[in-house]
């Protein structure tokens, strides 16, 4: 704006200068034409003008120069002679008129130069009003290269940040509602069974001993499932909000995997599964929390058993790749649809959406495994095709 102000003032000054110069030249030509028409020599005219000026300067205040008598100017006043420019005297009234015209010219030029900028300011103001009303998708096109373009750019950044915050807030609200719904469902299902079977046992009805044992076994299994769900919820919450401290030490990840396989031997037997373990490195030391990293692989192997029981074989392979150890868990059972792959590590996400006990777990196992692996500076990937479903875990080898 300062640039346009100075430019308008400069153009106005040039116009005034040119106008005064042309006016002075015209007045000079008129005087020359008048002298020529009256026949008075130019030298005499100049001499007369000098004598007149000398008389004006030497005359007393209020005295008429021509008659020597008091004039009609009033005591202590002088005749208004104006301002002399370019050899010509301009009356003060004329100068005031020129100043007024100059102001008008300045305003017109300034408006002409800033009309685009004014419209741009109005556009920015309108966008600010829309943002203030909650329309965070409103943006302003960044034009020119001045302070207003900087304002427009920062306004767009602010609107984008507010839009993202709004979307995150909506997503958080939806996630919270989904979390409450899923937890309520997963807690209610086993709890209803436990209460039902215990109520039968407590009713005083004469039940055969084998039925009593059966009902107690079912109630026990449901209680264990309920316990696992609660433990998963606590683990997930602690990992999600960083409240689970890590007690790191050097751990041989190959030996840990072998130990996990031995612990899952009863489950392999129960589902008639064969676990094939192959390692290309006899040992690989990683800096990790033993309990947490064991929990991660426990969840991955448990997931492979649950969804791979139709495939009869589960393969686990460890192999060193550069400064990382790669642990691969393969099952040949249920295929994960391609569109579900990006979401299988999300909390409470299950490929089978009915959330029945027979078709899946709590939907937290893979999410917990991913959080633990990433907390150790590693990464986890999943692939599924007609051939097999593969989970790859990468962990940094300790130096």
């Amino acid at each position: 704006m300062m640039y346009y102000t100075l430019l308008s003032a400069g153009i106005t000054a040039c116009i005034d200068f040119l106008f005064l110069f042309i006016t002075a030249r015209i007045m000079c030509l008129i005087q020359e034409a008048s002298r020529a028409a009256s026949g008075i020599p130019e030298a005499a005219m100049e001499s007369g003008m000098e004598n007149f000026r000398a008389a004006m300067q030497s005359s007393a205040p209020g005295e008429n120069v021509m008659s020597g008598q008091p004039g009609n100017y009033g005591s202590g006043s002088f005749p208004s002679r104006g301002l002399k420019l370019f050899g010509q005297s301009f009356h003060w009234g004329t100068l005031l008129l020129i100043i007024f015209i100059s102001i008008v010219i300045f305003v017109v030029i300034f408006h002409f130069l800033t009309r685009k900028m004014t419209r741009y300011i109005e556009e920015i103001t309108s966008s600010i009003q829309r943002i203030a009303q909650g329309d965070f998708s409103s943006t302003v096109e960044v034009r020119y290269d001045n302070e207003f373009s900087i304002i427009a750019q920062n306004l767009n950044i602010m609107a984008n940040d507010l839009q993202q915050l709004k979307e995150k807030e909506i997503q958080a609200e939806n996630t919270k509602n989904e979390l409450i719904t899923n937890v309520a469902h997963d807690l209610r299902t086993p709890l209803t069974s436990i209460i039902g079977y215990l109520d039968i046992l407590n009713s005083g009805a004469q039940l055969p001993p084998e039925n009593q044992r059966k009902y107690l076994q079912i109630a026990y299994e449901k209680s264990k499932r309920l316990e696992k769900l609660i433990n998963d919820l606590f683990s997930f919450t602690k990992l999600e909000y960083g409240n689970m401290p890590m007690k790191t030490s050097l751990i041989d990840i190959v030996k840990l995997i072998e130990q996990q396989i031995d612990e899952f031997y009863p489950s392999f037997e129960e589902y008639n599964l064969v676990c094939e373990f192959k390692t290309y490195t006899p040992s690989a030391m990683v800096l990790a929390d033993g309990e947490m990293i064991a929990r991660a692989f426990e969840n991955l192997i448990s997931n492979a058993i649950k969804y791979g029981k139709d495939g009869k074989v589960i393969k686990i392979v460890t192999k060193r790749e550069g400064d990382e150890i790669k642990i691969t868990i393969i099952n040949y059972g249920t295929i994960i649809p391609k569109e579900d792959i990006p979401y299988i590590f999300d909390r409470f996400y299950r490929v089978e959406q009915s959330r029945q006990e027979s078709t899946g777990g709590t939907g937290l196992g893979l999410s917990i495994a991913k959080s633990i692996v990433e907390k150790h500076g590693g990464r986890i990937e999943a692939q599924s095709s007609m051939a097999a479903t593969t989970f790859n875990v990468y962990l940094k080898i300790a130096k």
Side-chain angles (χ1 to χ4, degrees), residues 54-68:
M56 290 290 291
Q57 293 174 0
S58 60
S59 61
E63 184 181 353
N64 193 303
V65 177
M66 300 302 295
S67 62

Side-chain angles (χ1 to χ4, degrees), residues 339-383:
E339 60 272 14
D340 290 317
I341 290 291
Y343 307 105
I344 60 173
F345 294 107
D346 291 351
R347 53 187 173 186
F348 291 106
Y349 187 84
R350 285 168 53 174
V351 176
E352 204 286 317
Q353 298 294 327
S354 66
R355 306 195 66 83
Q356 297 177 7
E357 286 188 38
S358 59
T359 58
T362 62
L364 286 173
L366 292 180
S367 180
I368 292 173
K370 182 175 184 290
S371 297
I372 292 174
V373 171
E374 291 180 348
K375 198 174 181 67
H376 285 80
R379 66 187 191 278
I380 185 170
E381 300 171 350
Q383 301 171 355

Side-chain angles (χ1 to χ4, degrees), residues 175-188 190 224-244 295 299 346-349 355 361-369 371-372:
T175 302
K176 182 186 73 174
N177 294 335
E178 182 183 0
L179 174 65
I180 293 172
T181 302
N182 292 334
V183 170
H185 180 276
D186 290 339
L187 288 175
R188 183 181 60 186
K224 295 296 291 184
R225 176 178 172 80
L226 197 58
E227 180 187 32
K228 183 179 185 305
L229 174 60
I230 293 173
N231 289 335
D232 285 347
L233 284 171
F234 275 121
S235 298
F236 176 79
T237 303
K238 290 180 179 180
L239 287 168
E240 186 77 5
Y241 296 100
N243 295 327
M244 184 177 285
R295 176 72 181 278
N299 289 353
D346 291 351
R347 53 187 173 186
F348 291 106
Y349 187 84
R355 306 195 66 83
T362 62
L364 286 173
L366 292 180
S367 180
I368 292 173
S371 297
I372 292 174

Side-chain angles (χ1 to χ4, degrees), residues 294-337:
R295 176 72 181 278
F297 286 107
E298 176 186 337
N299 289 353
L300 290 172
I301 296 174
S302 176
N303 183 80
I305 293 172
K306 187 176 298 179
Y307 294 100
K309 54 190 175 184
D310 295 334
K312 305 302 180 184
V313 176
I314 291 177
K315 292 183 180 180
I316 301 177
V317 182
T318 60
K319 183 178 181 182
R320 179 165 183 164
E321 293 186 355
D323 61 346
E324 292 181 324
I325 180 72
K326 176 183 177 183
I327 303 98
T328 303
I329 301 173
I330 308 171
N331 74 77
Y332 300 90
T334 305
I335 299 171
I336 302 175

Side-chain angles (χ1 to χ4, degrees), residues 92-309:
W92 288 113
T94 304
L95 293 175
L96 289 174
L97 179 62
I98 292 173
I99 292 173
F100 175 76
I101 296 174
S102 300
I103 294 173
V104 174
I105 293 173
F106 172 82
V107 172
V108 172
I109 293 174
F110 185 80
H111 174 72
F112 177 78
L113 294 175
T114 60
R115 67 187 190 280
K116 290 183 179 179
M117 194 57 61
T118 303
R119 287 197 294 267
Y120 193 41
I121 294 173
E122 292 175 353
E123 183 179 344
I124 293 174
T125 303
S126 177
S127 180
I128 292 174
Q129 291 176 347
R130 290 194 297 270
I131 291 174
Q133 294 172 357
D135 183 12
F136 302 131
S137 61
S138 176
T139 57
V140 182
E141 181 183 356
V142 179
R143 298 194 296 268
Y144 315 116
D145 187 16
N146 51 33
E147 59 270 23
F148 294 110
S149 61
I150 296 175
I151 292 174
Q153 185 176 4
N154 290 331
L155 184 65
N156 291 339
I157 294 173
M158 181 188 71
N160 183 59
D161 291 343
L162 290 173
Q163 180 69 21
Q164 290 181 358
L165 287 174
K166 182 180 178 181
E167 291 175 356
K168 287 181 179 179
E169 183 180 354
I170 295 173
Q171 183 179 4
E173 184 67 22
N174 293 335
T175 302
K176 182 186 73 174
N177 294 335
E178 182 183 0
L179 174 65
I180 293 172
T181 302
N182 292 334
V183 170
H185 180 276
D186 290 339
L187 288 175
R188 183 181 60 186
T189 302
L191 191 59
T192 301
S193 298
I194 293 171
I195 293 173
Y197 285 109
L198 291 179
D199 186 59
I200 293 174
L201 293 171
N202 195 43
S203 63
Q206 296 297 323
L207 298 174
E210 59 272 17
N211 287 351
Q212 293 181 9
R213 288 193 297 270
K214 178 181 177 182
Y215 294 160
L216 285 173
Q217 181 64 29
I218 294 175
Y220 175 76
E221 291 175 356
K222 299 295 182 180
S223 299
K224 295 296 291 184
R225 176 178 172 80
L226 197 58
E227 180 187 32
K228 183 179 185 305
L229 174 60
I230 293 173
N231 289 335
D232 285 347
L233 284 171
F234 275 121
S235 298
F236 176 79
T237 303
K238 290 180 179 180
L239 287 168
E240 186 77 5
Y241 296 100
N243 295 327
M244 184 177 285
M246 291 178 59
K247 299 178 182 179
T248 58
S249 61
L250 286 175
I251 295 174
D252 189 340
I253 198 68
V254 177
K255 301 299 182 184
L256 186 142
I257 296 298
E258 290 178 345
Q259 181 181 347
Q260 290 280 319
I261 293 173
D262 290 339
E263 291 177 359
F264 272 99
Y265 179 77
S267 297
F268 295 140
E269 287 291 318
E270 180 182 355
Y271 293 104
N272 296 320
L273 286 169
V274 175
C275 182
E276 297 179 0
F277 177 64
K278 185 175 183 180
T279 180
Y280 291 90
T281 177
S283 176
M285 305 301 294
V286 299
L287 191 64
D289 184 310
E291 184 177 346
M292 290 176 64
I293 205 70
R295 176 72 181 278
F297 286 107
E298 176 186 337
N299 289 353
L300 290 172
I301 296 174
S302 176
N303 183 80
I305 293 172
K306 187 176 298 179
Y307 294 100
K309 54 190 175 184

